[in-house]
């Protein structure tokens, strides 16, 4: 399998020192920067939005991996694309089934990678017909909304089925409760991109934490 893409979630960074923290993960070997966007409707929390992405675009060359946990994601694809996102992932549960493919095309029309995410209770069989339209599938391994939650092992069991139906170049990402041990579980089951927030930003040595995930 190809190299593992590590995408630290800045949700666990120090927002008063966001530029510093992003430079720190960049020099510590991170591949992407994971940006968690929440609207207080799709998930019971509010985080950051378009202006923050625009600002962090100026401090890093790393691809910005924008995870939209919002209703009506179609309204925000253009603003995030124009602010410097490189990957935009929306939730399957936030849209009508009839809009999923169109939204993948819309994201790609900005020359970005398109991602589709599923929550812990969503059956992976529901999205198999859409996998081929996306560059990335994000399997949530916690309920979206907060950092620092415990990994839900049964979510990782969805990975082999998705991998089986995917082209070889599909990026299969997991997000939530990822640490050294749960990373192993997920990569064995077919994940090749790992999001980690608290494990990386709360570590004494960020560089060691990132290497320990590979
Ligand atoms: C949760 C977010 C995650 C979160 C992960 O809704 O999508 O990206 O920041 O945090 P940890 O790694 O601490 O579980
Ligand atoms: Zn996320």
């Amino acid at each position: 399998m190809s190299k593992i893409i590590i995408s630290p979630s800045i949700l666990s960074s120090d927002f008063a020192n966001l530029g510093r923290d992003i430079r720190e993960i960049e020099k510590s070997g991170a591949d992407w920067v994971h940006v968690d966007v929440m609207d207080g409707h799709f998930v019971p929390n509010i985080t950051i939005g378009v202006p923050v992405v625009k600002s962090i675009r100026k401090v890093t060359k790393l691809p910005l991996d924008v995870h939209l946990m919002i209703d009506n994601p179609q309204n925000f694809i253009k603003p995030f694309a124009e602010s410097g996102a490189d990957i935009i992932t929306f939730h399957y549960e936030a849209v009508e089934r009839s809009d999923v493919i169109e939204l993948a095309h819309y994201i790609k029309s900005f020359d970005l990678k398109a991602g589709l995410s599923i929550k812990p209770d969503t059956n992976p069989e529901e999205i198999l017909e859409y996998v081929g339209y996306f560059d990335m599938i994000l399997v949530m391994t916690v309920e979206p909304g907060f950092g620092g939650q415990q990994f839900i092992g049964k979510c990782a069991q969805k990975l082999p089925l998705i991998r089986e139906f995917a082209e070889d170049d599909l990026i299969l990402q997991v997000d939530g409760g990822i640490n050294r041990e749960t990373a192993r579980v997920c990569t064995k089951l077919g994940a090749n991109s790992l999001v980690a927030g608290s494990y990386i930003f709360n570590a004494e040595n960020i560089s060691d934490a990132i290497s320990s995930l590979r």
Side-chain angles (χ1 to χ4, degrees):
M1 168 114 29
S2 54
K3 152 180 194 281
I4 305 288
I5 299 165
I6 308 289
S7 191
S9 162
I10 57 168
L11 189 56
S12 293
S13 70
D14 174 2
F15 284 158
N17 291 291
L18 186 53
R20 179 204 67 188
D21 281 6
I22 289 175
R23 281 189 284 269
E24 172 84 19
I25 55 169
E26 184 162 10
K27 77 170 200 292
S28 300
D31 300 295
W32 293 354
V33 179
H34 186 81
V35 182
D36 286 305
V37 178
M38 306 188 190
D39 66 354
H41 291 271
F42 182 73
V43 289
N45 195 9
I46 295 177
T47 53
I48 55 178
V50 171
V52 175
V53 169
K54 198 176 264 181
S55 294
I56 63 183
R57 182 67 292 168
K58 297 178 194 149
V59 302
T60 182
K61 291 200 169 56
L62 293 179
L64 302 182
D65 169 28
V66 175
H67 177 194
L68 299 180
M69 286 160 277
I70 62 174
D71 286 333
N72 301 310
Q74 65 281 0
N75 297 343
F76 289 91
I77 286 162
K78 187 163 190 267
F80 278 108
E82 290 174 347
S83 302
D86 297 278
I87 302 105
I88 296 183
T89 299
F90 66 91
H91 267 268
Y92 169 71
E93 302 86 358
V95 300
E96 300 292 333
R97 285 178 69 97
S98 53
D99 292 338
V100 172
I101 295 172
E102 198 183 325
L103 264 181
H105 288 313
Y106 185 48
I107 296 171
K108 289 180 176 179
S109 76
F110 294 96
D111 258 333
L112 309 181
K113 285 190 164 60
L116 182 68
S117 182
I118 52 171
K119 299 207 287 182
D121 288 338
T122 300
N123 186 331
E125 288 182 8
E126 283 185 49
I127 62 155
L128 292 179
E129 65 191 276
Y130 305 118
V131 169
Y133 293 92
F134 286 86
D135 301 290
M136 179 165 92
I137 300 292
L138 164 52
V139 173
M140 289 304 298
T141 43
V142 299
E143 268 317 320
F146 300 91
Q149 302 181 78
Q150 209 182 338
F151 181 76
I152 304 171
K154 71 172 168 41
C155 295
Q157 302 303 325
K158 300 174 183 179
L159 295 165
L161 179 70
I162 298 170
R163 187 48 86 198
E164 186 188 327
F165 275 81
E167 301 284 333
D168 286 348
D169 60 354
L170 179 83
I171 301 168
L172 191 47
Q173 186 177 63
V174 286
D175 180 6
I178 299 300
N179 57 35
R180 192 175 184 280
E181 287 75 37
T182 57
R184 293 284 171 285
V185 172
C186 293
T187 52
K188 273 200 186 124
L189 292 169
N192 64 341
S193 175
L194 306 169
V195 176
S198 49
Y199 179 70
I200 290 177
F201 284 102
N202 297 346
E204 232 154 77
N205 185 315
I206 288 190
S207 175
D208 288 350
I210 290 176
S211 335
S212 77
L213 294 173
R214 294 194 190 281

